Amino acid sequence: MLLRLAPVLFVLIWSTGWIAARAAAPLADPLTFLAARYALAALALFLILLVFGVKLPSDRRLWAHGLASGVLLHAIYLGGVWYVIDEGLATPLSGLIAALQPLLTAVLAVAWLAEQLTRRQWLGLGLGFAGLVIALLPKLFELEGEALTAAAWLIVINVVAMVSVTLGTLYQKRFLQGGDLRAISMLQYVGATLATLPFAYLLEEMHITINIESIAIMAWSVLGLSLAAIGLLLLLIRHGAVSRAATLIYLIPPLVTLEAWMLFGEDLAPIAILGMLITVFGVYLVNKKPT
């Protein structure tokens, strides 16, 4: 039952990450907030391991792979996304760049993990990306001329973040198929904390406003995003083809656009709705079981 519900739950929870980043931007420096989030997530998982009597891996290689995958999946990816949003890059554009991940993951999964994709699945990947572009075109037109030039270096950072989470997903599938997911997740957040803290110290004032709003955002970021959503993603990677799991990322930007419309009153054009429907159909083609 959990495996059946995991894709829907993952998409619903993970899409709120962009909303959390936007809400936290006035309250905290992005890398500082993320370092605190990773540390709290690692602490929460350590307590969970103690309660359930789960032991950390005895194999040093699993420790190394866990720490390294945490840097790729969390430190570089989320650090890049939160940083560019804090610096003013349009959230839909950031979402579009992140949505390149399924295509890159599919190509690399075929080459690195020897996964096989059917023509229907390749068609679904293409339709998913095309629908995403259609859904976000109205927002993309807002970035022109000087604004687009000023955002160029932020776009580069966002692309690096996208490549990092793609490599992290493949790395997870290849090197971390064994071991308890809770223990591996804890190691990943330890690695992310160690990688993020130095950059927060060098680049930021390490400021976090402590109030009810920031505490609520942090609580959701740790419990909802860092524990629940990432746990579901790792579960999907372990029990399914990595390219199909990555395709769920296509659903995130349209859902973020819908959430921004509901929470912040942003415009939701008919063309955006059309693009979302095309994207959903593309994801269906990729994940549909063969008859």
Side-chain angles (χ1 to χ4, degrees), residues 20-21 23-25 27 33 82 212-222 225:
L27 302 172
F33 186 95
W82 279 57
I212 295 178
E213 186 178 0
S214 63
I215 292 174
I217 296 171
M218 181 64 77
W220 175 249
S221 296
V222 173
L225 296 170

Side-chain angles (χ1 to χ4, degrees), residues 34-120:
L34 286 174
R37 167 181 162 180
Y38 300 150
L40 290 172
L43 177 60
L45 283 164
F46 179 72
L47 295 176
I48 290 173
L49 297 183
L50 290 179
V51 170
F52 288 94
V54 178
K55 295 182 179 180
L56 289 171
S58 57
D59 190 341
R60 292 183 179 180
R61 289 175 297 180
L62 279 180
W63 276 74
H65 290 319
L67 295 173
S69 62
V71 174
L72 292 171
L73 285 172
H74 304 309
I76 300 177
Y77 172 56
L78 290 179
V81 170
W82 279 57
Y83 179 78
V84 299
I85 290 177
D86 184 73
E87 290 293 315
L89 186 67
T91 303
L93 179 55
S94 176
L96 176 58
I97 295 170
L100 292 170
Q101 181 198 346
L103 280 176
L104 182 58
T105 300
V107 172
L108 294 178
V110 171
W112 193 15
L113 303 179
E115 287 192 3
Q116 299 296 322
L117 296 179
T118 64
R119 291 182 178 179
R120 186 195 73 239

Side-chain angles (χ1 to χ4, degrees), residues 12-284:
L12 289 175
I13 297 173
W14 193 243
S15 67
T16 64
W18 274 265
I19 303 299
R22 176 172 173 177
L27 302 172
D29 293 327
L31 299 182
T32 301
F33 186 95
L34 286 174
R37 167 181 162 180
Y38 300 150
L40 290 172
L43 177 60
L45 283 164
F46 179 72
L47 295 176
I48 290 173
L49 297 183
L50 290 179
V51 170
F52 288 94
V54 178
K55 295 182 179 180
L56 289 171
S58 57
D59 190 341
R60 292 183 179 180
R61 289 175 297 180
L62 279 180
W63 276 74
H65 290 319
L67 295 173
S69 62
V71 174
L72 292 171
L73 285 172
H74 304 309
I76 300 177
Y77 172 56
L78 290 179
V81 170
W82 279 57
Y83 179 78
V84 299
I85 290 177
D86 184 73
E87 290 293 315
L89 186 67
T91 303
L93 179 55
S94 176
L96 176 58
I97 295 170
L100 292 170
Q101 181 198 346
L103 280 176
L104 182 58
T105 300
V107 172
L108 294 178
V110 171
W112 193 15
L113 303 179
E115 287 192 3
Q116 299 296 322
L117 296 179
T118 64
R119 291 182 178 179
R120 186 195 73 239
Q121 289 175 316
W122 282 112
L123 175 62
L125 284 166
L127 283 176
F129 181 69
L132 197 61
V133 172
I134 292 173
L136 297 179
L137 271 179
K139 294 293 184 182
L140 293 178
F141 283 135
E142 296 176 4
L143 281 179
E144 296 179 350
E146 294 182 1
L148 184 58
T149 302
W153 70 282
L154 296 177
I155 292 173
V156 171
I157 293 175
N158 213 147
V159 169
V160 171
M162 181 273 298
V163 173
S164 177
V165 73
T166 302
L167 295 177
T169 302
L170 296 169
Y171 193 95
Q172 174 83 24
K173 181 71 174 180
R174 178 148 188 183
F175 295 112
L176 291 167
Q177 282 295 91
D180 189 276
L181 281 177
R182 293 163 295 185
I184 291 173
S185 295
M186 194 209 78
L187 293 176
Q188 289 175 331
Y189 283 118
V190 171
T193 304
L194 295 176
T196 305
L197 268 178
F199 288 95
Y201 177 78
L202 293 173
L203 300 176
E204 299 175 346
E205 297 180 357
M206 302 192 74
H207 167 73
I208 298 180
T209 299
I210 305 299
N211 55 28
I212 295 178
E213 186 178 0
S214 63
I215 292 174
I217 296 171
M218 181 64 77
W220 175 249
S221 296
V222 173
L223 299 177
L225 296 170
S226 293
L227 298 186
I230 291 297
L232 291 169
L233 177 60
L234 298 183
L235 188 69
L236 288 167
I237 293 172
R238 175 166 291 188
H239 290 277
V242 66
S243 54
R244 290 203 295 268
T247 309
L248 296 172
I249 303 298
Y250 272 151
L251 298 177
I252 302 298
L255 194 55
V256 170
T257 302
L258 185 61
E259 290 169 354
W261 170 68
M262 295 172 61
L263 295 174
F264 304 115
E266 294 188 4
D267 293 334
L268 185 60
I271 191 173
I273 299 175
L274 173 62
M276 291 179 194
L277 293 176
I278 294 174
T279 294
V280 171
F281 181 65
V283 173
Y284 165 77

